Amino acid sequence: MNRTTMTKKQSLLRAWPLSPVSRATAAAFLLAAGSAQAQQPTELPAITVNESNASPQADVSGFGDVPVRELPLSATVIDSTQLRASGARRLADLTQFDSSVTDAYNSAGYWDYLTVRGFVLDNRFNYRREGLPISAETSIPLDNKERVEILRGTSGIQAGTSAPGGLVNYVVKRPTEQDLRTLRLEITSRGSVLGALDLGGRFGANREFGYRLNVVNENLKPLTHNLDGNRNMFSLAGDWRITRDSVLEFEIERSHKTQPSQNGFSLLGSTLPAPVDPRINLNNQPWSQPSEFNALTGSVRFSQALNADWRWSAQIGQQRLKTDDRLAYAFGCGAEGNYDRYCSDGTFDFYDFRSENERRTQTAGSLNLKGNVMTGGVRHELGFGLLASRVRNRFQDQAYNYVGTGNIWATAIVPADPTLTDANTNRDERSTELSVQDAIRWNSRFTTWVGLRHTRLDRDSIRTDGSRPTGYKDGITTPWVAASYAIQPGLLAYASWGKGVESQVVPNKSSQYTNAGEALPALTSRQWEVGLKGGSDVFNWQLAWFDIKRPMTNLDACNRLGTTPCDGRYDGSAVHRGLEAGAQWNTGPWRLGGSVTLMDAKRRNSTAEPAINGQWPTNVPKQVLRAQAAYRVASVPGLELLGQLSQEGRRNVLPDGSITLPSWTRVDAVLRYDTKLRGVQTSWSLAVDNLFDRRYWKESPYQFGHVYLFPGAPRTLRLGLTVSL
């Protein structure tokens, strides 16, 4: 949401004509297809899909087929079964699976933000689809995703620039070996209706062609007043097994979502209000319009085995986004001289914000070579990669106009003012990344892991009125090293160290910053991690300690303090240390799982705002607990009871720690029944979110120069039916 340079960080990047990497990739596809015409098709062996209790893999790790339990890093893999059972619709719904992942400004009708290990992921740089970079400044559907992978920690070996919390990678559903015919219907207590079709299978003389089709439509009727909307998606994935050693794959998806956006509540002067009715909609104006998100994303990938030890692959993908961002925007209290919270009497300043026809295009191409070599008695699992990406963001002037005074009871009516009075900023980015990795297997127990990534950046920006052109170029190298030792079968100890890199540009506001538009030197974060992993497919567990240090700037402090003029620069650091523990246990009729994160996070050595030194960062809970339990009722075959508990501890609302948000606990429950009706496999589900209808403040992001408070959703019932033909 490009709401204003005063209130939102604009993520503005740009696209490119076909690059050398793209040409090489396309040529590889053509050569592969051409060579296939001269070869007799050969029946290929069946591909075995991992069972749900098998050790998952995470492509986001960069180490290919190595199971997560054998990697010297922390990652969470959320598969399609978990996504379906939980009723997850959006990225924010995935926080229930991992105690290290929490909300970071998740508003209805808008795109999602996540916090991992206390750091907010950058929606411009921290997201991948099939391993290629994408923008998460849109509404990304989960209906066609086979799994979502969350890498926790500094990601310098996996990405050239990214926030230090981690990476999120979406993996699309693939063609199935057996024919798949699934229809799902779901309705909520207020009347949201979802219909989803999932088809898959193989065809051809030797079943060399595969397909996977997903179609979804949902009428959105949340319990919050006047936030009704609609979303739909069409997705098609296919593959061609050209020979035993070569495969051509593609995925394409088109999605659309329209729904009014709801900004959060806030402090009332210096007071934290009691949790409000989550049904209240502050964006309840007669002239309010829904925000609209349109996305078209596709990728093509070719993989070729050179011999028993080596394989190369090439991939190219593109994402095209169009957004109409509209909001009756509650922001600040000019009457009391507070621009980061509401007035003490419950009123606030109202703005008519409109940023329409936002267009973001991202294109990326990659070449990868992976293989094994022996040097003496030592085995090397090598990986070489080239990744080129181009981003092109184009906007038009936007409206950001004061229109009157609103209130937290949503009873005030103010006039609209859609006049386009505020210039926006267009941006372009080009990056080229070279990487090398080596897993050195010294013996059956001891492995060292090394990686190096070099990134070349070229970025430019200019206002929509032609003013304030900026640009910079930079070269960044990020290393990563680790060691792992198998103490015994099923027990692994590891330690790792790595760097990550971010780039920041001083806001292009010459009225406030002496170096407006200037690129600051790259921010280099570092992370230590030590962990233990153990267990089997029946019972597995993991324990990890991490220490992340991230340089900080004075840009937020200048906004909070109203410092003018301000010289944008580095200003101290944020240090996050924590302990993560998780376990899963399957025995008889029981499935149990859970995770807990304990964190010590502090801001250090700030000279611009000394009051925040030693303080906890805003919207980061001190401890988080997630727990799940499922029980199959033996006396009623097919009947299963599931429960989910989420607990988050206290957190700072203000950077100086003067106001804190209390801890909260929520319980969800699901009743599922699998049976056959006239020979047709069916699955019924009844879910209750927020079982005890608890009213609480879920999160308190201090973002875009403003304090926000988001209430937890009220009790919601979901009834679902899945039919497999």
Coordinates of all heavy atoms in Angstrom, one line a residue, residues 105 107 224 262-268 272-283 330 340-342 346 348 407-410 653 697 699-701 706-711:
Y105 N 1.5 -6.0 11.5 CA 0.6 -5.1 10.8 C -0.2 -5.9 9.8 O 0.0 -5.8 8.6 CB 1.4 -3.9 10.1 CG 0.4 -2.9 9.5 CD1 -0.1 -1.9 10.4 CD2 0.0 -2.9 8.2 CE1 -0.9 -0.9 9.9 CE2 -0.8 -1.9 7.7 CZ -1.3 -0.9 8.5 OH -2.1 0.0 8.0
S107 N -3.8 -6.3 8.5 CA -5.1 -5.6 8.5 C -6.0 -6.3 7.4 O -5.5 -6.7 6.4 CB -4.9 -4.1 8.2 OG -6.1 -3.5 7.8
T224 N -16.4 -8.1 10.9 CA -16.2 -6.7 11.0 C -17.3 -6.1 10.0 O -17.4 -6.5 8.9 CB -14.8 -6.3 10.6 OG1 -13.9 -6.9 11.5 CG2 -14.7 -4.8 10.7
Q262 N -9.1 -2.0 6.4 CA -9.4 -1.5 7.7 C -8.1 -1.2 8.4 O -7.3 -2.0 8.7 CB -10.2 -2.6 8.5 CG -10.1 -2.5 10.0 CD -11.0 -1.4 10.6 OE1 -11.0 -0.3 10.1 NE2 -11.7 -1.8 11.6
N263 N -7.9 0.1 8.7 CA -6.7 0.4 9.5 C -7.0 0.2 11.0 O -8.1 0.0 11.4 CB -6.2 1.9 9.3 CG -7.3 2.9 9.5 OD1 -7.3 3.9 8.7 ND2 -8.1 2.9 10.5
G264 N -5.9 0.1 11.8 CA -6.1 -0.3 13.2 C -6.6 0.8 14.1 O -6.7 2.0 13.7
F265 N -6.8 0.4 15.3 CA -7.1 1.4 16.4 C -5.8 2.0 16.8 O -4.7 1.7 16.3 CB -7.9 0.7 17.5 CG -9.3 0.5 17.2 CD1 -9.7 -0.4 16.3 CD2 -10.3 1.2 17.8 CE1 -11.0 -0.7 16.0 CE2 -11.6 1.0 17.6 CZ -12.0 0.1 16.6
S266 N -5.8 2.8 17.9 CA -4.6 3.4 18.4 C -4.7 3.7 19.9 O -5.8 3.6 20.5 CB -4.2 4.6 17.6 OG -2.9 5.1 17.9
L267 N -3.7 4.3 20.4 CA -3.7 4.8 21.8 C -4.7 6.0 21.8 O -4.8 6.8 20.8 CB -2.3 5.3 22.2 CG -1.2 4.2 22.3 CD1 0.1 4.8 22.7 CD2 -1.6 3.1 23.3
L268 N -5.3 6.3 22.9 CA -6.1 7.5 23.1 C -5.3 8.4 24.0 O -5.2 8.3 25.2 CB -7.4 7.1 23.8 CG -8.3 6.1 23.0 CD1 -9.6 5.9 23.7 CD2 -8.5 6.5 21.6
L272 N -3.8 3.4 27.0 CA -4.1 2.1 26.2 C -5.5 1.8 26.5 O -5.9 1.4 27.6 CB -3.2 1.0 26.7 CG -3.5 -0.4 26.0 CD1 -3.1 -0.3 24.5 CD2 -2.7 -1.5 26.7
P273 N -6.4 1.9 25.5 CA -7.8 1.6 25.7 C -8.0 0.1 25.9 O -7.2 -0.7 25.5 CB -8.5 2.1 24.4 CG -7.4 2.0 23.4 CD -6.1 2.3 24.1
A274 N -9.2 -0.2 26.6 CA -9.6 -1.6 26.7 C -9.8 -2.2 25.3 O -10.2 -1.5 24.4 CB -10.8 -1.8 27.6
P275 N -9.6 -3.5 25.1 CA -9.8 -4.1 23.8 C -11.3 -3.8 23.3 O -12.2 -4.0 24.0 CB -9.7 -5.6 24.0 CG -8.7 -5.7 25.2 CD -9.1 -4.5 26.0
V276 N -11.3 -3.3 22.1 CA -12.6 -2.8 21.5 C -13.3 -4.0 20.8 O -12.8 -5.1 20.6 CB -12.4 -1.7 20.5 CG1 -11.7 -0.5 21.2 CG2 -11.5 -2.1 19.3
D277 N -14.5 -3.7 20.4 CA -15.3 -4.7 19.7 C -14.7 -4.8 18.3 O -14.6 -3.9 17.5 CB -16.8 -4.2 19.6 CG -17.7 -5.2 18.9 OD1 -17.2 -6.2 18.3 OD2 -18.9 -5.0 18.9
P278 N -14.2 -6.0 17.9 CA -13.5 -6.2 16.6 C -14.5 -6.0 15.4 O -14.0 -6.0 14.3 CB -12.9 -7.6 16.7 CG -13.8 -8.3 17.7 CD -14.2 -7.3 18.7
R279 N -15.7 -5.9 15.7 CA -16.7 -5.7 14.6 C -16.7 -4.2 14.1 O -17.3 -4.0 13.0 CB -18.1 -6.2 15.0 CG -18.2 -7.6 15.3 CD -19.5 -8.0 16.0 NE -19.6 -9.4 16.3 CZ -19.1 -10.0 17.4 NH1 -18.4 -9.2 18.3 NH2 -19.2 -11.3 17.6
I280 N -16.2 -3.3 14.9 CA -16.2 -1.9 14.5 C -15.3 -1.6 13.4 O -14.1 -2.1 13.4 CB -15.8 -1.0 15.7 CG1 -16.9 -1.1 16.8 CG2 -15.7 0.4 15.3 CD1 -16.5 -0.4 18.1
N281 N -15.7 -0.9 12.4 CA -14.9 -0.6 11.2 C -14.7 0.9 11.1 O -15.7 1.7 10.9 CB -15.7 -1.0 9.9 CG -14.9 -0.7 8.7 OD1 -13.8 -0.2 8.7 ND2 -15.6 -1.0 7.5
L282 N -13.5 1.4 11.4 CA -13.2 2.8 11.3 C -13.2 3.4 9.9 O -13.3 4.6 9.7 CB -11.8 3.1 11.9 CG -11.6 2.7 13.4 CD1 -10.2 3.0 13.9 CD2 -12.7 3.3 14.3
N283 N -13.2 2.5 8.9 CA -13.2 3.0 7.5 C -14.7 3.0 7.0 O -14.9 2.7 5.9 CB -12.4 2.0 6.7 CG -12.2 2.4 5.2 OD1 -12.4 3.6 4.9 ND2 -11.8 1.5 4.4
A330 N -7.6 6.9 9.2 CA -7.5 7.5 10.5 C -6.0 7.6 10.9 O -5.3 6.6 11.0 CB -8.2 6.6 11.5
D340 N 1.1 10.4 16.0 CA 1.3 9.0 16.0 C 0.3 8.2 16.8 O 0.4 7.0 17.0 CB 2.7 8.6 16.5 CG 2.9 9.0 18.0 OD1 2.0 9.7 18.5 OD2 3.9 8.6 18.6
R341 N -0.8 8.9 17.1 CA -1.9 8.2 17.9 C -3.2 9.0 17.8 O -3.2 10.2 17.3 CB -1.4 8.1 19.4 CG -1.3 9.4 20.1 CD -0.5 9.3 21.4 NE 0.9 9.0 21.1 CZ 1.8 8.8 22.1 NH1 1.4 8.8 23.4 NH2 3.1 8.6 21.8
Y342 N -4.3 8.5 18.4 CA -5.5 9.2 18.3 C -5.6 10.2 19.5 O -4.8 10.1 20.5 CB -6.7 8.2 18.3 CG -6.7 7.3 17.1 CD1 -7.5 6.1 17.2 CD2 -6.0 7.6 16.0 CE1 -7.5 5.3 16.1 CE2 -6.0 6.8 14.9 CZ -6.8 5.6 14.9 OH -6.8 4.8 13.9
G346 N -11.0 10.1 22.0 CA -11.5 9.1 21.0 C -11.7 9.6 19.6 O -12.2 8.9 18.7
F348 N -10.0 11.5 16.0 CA -8.8 11.4 15.2 C -8.9 12.2 13.9 O -10.1 12.5 13.5 CB -8.4 10.0 14.9 CG -9.5 9.1 14.3 CD1 -9.9 9.3 13.0 CD2 -10.1 8.1 15.1 CE1 -10.9 8.5 12.5 CE2 -11.1 7.3 14.6 CZ -11.5 7.5 13.3
N407 N -14.1 9.4 14.7 CA -14.1 8.9 16.1 C -14.1 7.4 16.1 O -14.4 6.7 15.1 CB -15.2 9.4 16.9 CG -16.6 9.0 16.3 OD1 -16.9 7.8 16.3 ND2 -17.4 10.0 16.0
I408 N -13.7 6.8 17.2 CA -13.5 5.4 17.4 C -14.8 4.6 17.4 O -14.8 3.4 17.4 CB -12.6 5.0 18.6 CG1 -13.3 5.5 19.9 CG2 -11.2 5.6 18.5 CD1 -12.6 5.1 21.2
W409 N -15.9 5.3 17.5 CA -17.2 4.7 17.5 C -17.8 4.5 16.0 O -18.9 4.0 15.8 CB -18.2 5.4 18.4 CG -17.7 5.6 19.8 CD1 -17.7 4.6 20.8 CD2 -17.0 6.7 20.3 NE1 -17.0 5.1 21.9 CE2 -16.6 6.4 21.6 CE3 -16.7 8.0 19.7 CZ2 -15.9 7.3 22.4 CZ3 -16.0 8.9 20.5 CH2 -15.6 8.6 21.9
A410 N -17.0 5.1 15.1 CA -17.4 5.0 13.7 C -18.8 5.7 13.4 O -19.5 5.2 12.6 CB -17.4 3.6 13.2
V653 N 4.3 -1.2 23.3 CA 3.6 -0.4 22.4 C 4.4 0.8 21.9 O 4.4 1.1 20.7 CB 2.2 0.0 23.0 CG1 1.4 0.9 22.0 CG2 1.4 -1.2 23.4
W697 N -6.2 -7.4 22.5 CA -5.4 -6.8 21.5 C -4.4 -7.8 21.0 O -3.6 -8.3 21.8 CB -4.6 -5.6 22.1 CG -5.5 -4.4 22.4 CD1 -5.6 -3.8 23.7 CD2 -6.3 -3.6 21.6 NE1 -6.4 -2.7 23.6 CE2 -6.9 -2.6 22.3 CE3 -6.6 -3.7 20.2 CZ2 -7.8 -1.7 21.8 CZ3 -7.5 -2.7 19.7 CH2 -8.1 -1.7 20.5
E699 N -2.0 -7.4 18.4 CA -0.7 -6.9 18.1 C -0.7 -5.4 18.2 O -1.8 -4.8 18.1 CB -0.2 -7.4 16.7 CG -1.1 -6.9 15.6 CD -0.5 -7.0 14.2 OE1 0.8 -6.8 14.2 OE2 -1.1 -7.2 13.2
S700 N 0.5 -4.8 18.2 CA 0.6 -3.3 18.4 C 1.8 -2.8 17.5 O 2.8 -2.3 18.1 CB 0.8 -2.9 19.8 OG 2.0 -3.6 20.4
P701 N 1.7 -2.9 16.2 CA 2.8 -2.4 15.4 C 3.0 -0.9 15.5 O 2.0 -0.2 15.4 CB 2.4 -2.9 14.0 CG 0.9 -3.0 14.0 CD 0.6 -3.4 15.4
H706 N 3.3 5.6 13.2 CA 2.1 5.6 13.9 C 1.9 4.4 14.8 O 2.4 3.3 14.4 CB 0.9 5.8 12.9 CG -0.4 6.3 13.5 ND1 -1.2 5.5 14.2 CD2 -0.9 7.5 13.5 CE1 -2.3 6.2 14.6 NE2 -2.1 7.4 14.2
V707 N 1.3 4.5 15.9 CA 1.0 3.4 16.8 C -0.4 2.8 16.3 O -1.4 3.5 16.2 CB 0.8 3.9 18.2 CG1 0.4 2.7 19.1 CG2 2.1 4.5 18.7
Y708 N -0.4 1.5 16.1 CA -1.6 0.8 15.7 C -1.9 -0.3 16.7 O -1.0 -0.9 17.3 CB -1.5 0.2 14.3 CG -1.5 1.2 13.2 CD1 -0.3 1.6 12.6 CD2 -2.6 1.8 12.8 CE1 -0.2 2.5 11.6 CE2 -2.6 2.8 11.8 CZ -1.4 3.1 11.2 OH -1.3 4.1 10.2
L709 N -3.2 -0.5 16.9 CA -3.7 -1.6 17.8 C -4.7 -2.4 17.0 O -5.7 -1.9 16.5 CB -4.3 -1.1 19.1 CG -3.5 -0.2 20.0 CD1 -4.3 0.4 21.0 CD2 -2.4 -1.0 20.6
F710 N -4.4 -3.7 16.8 CA -5.3 -4.6 16.1 C -6.0 -5.6 17.1 O -5.3 -6.3 17.7 CB -4.6 -5.3 15.0 CG -4.3 -4.5 13.8 CD1 -3.0 -4.0 13.7 CD2 -5.2 -4.2 12.8 CE1 -2.7 -3.2 12.6 CE2 -4.9 -3.4 11.8 CZ -3.6 -2.9 11.7
P711 N -7.3 -5.6 17.1 CA -8.0 -6.5 18.0 C -8.0 -7.9 17.4 O -8.0 -8.1 16.2 CB -9.4 -6.0 18.1 CG -9.6 -5.2 16.8 CD -8.3 -4.7 16.4

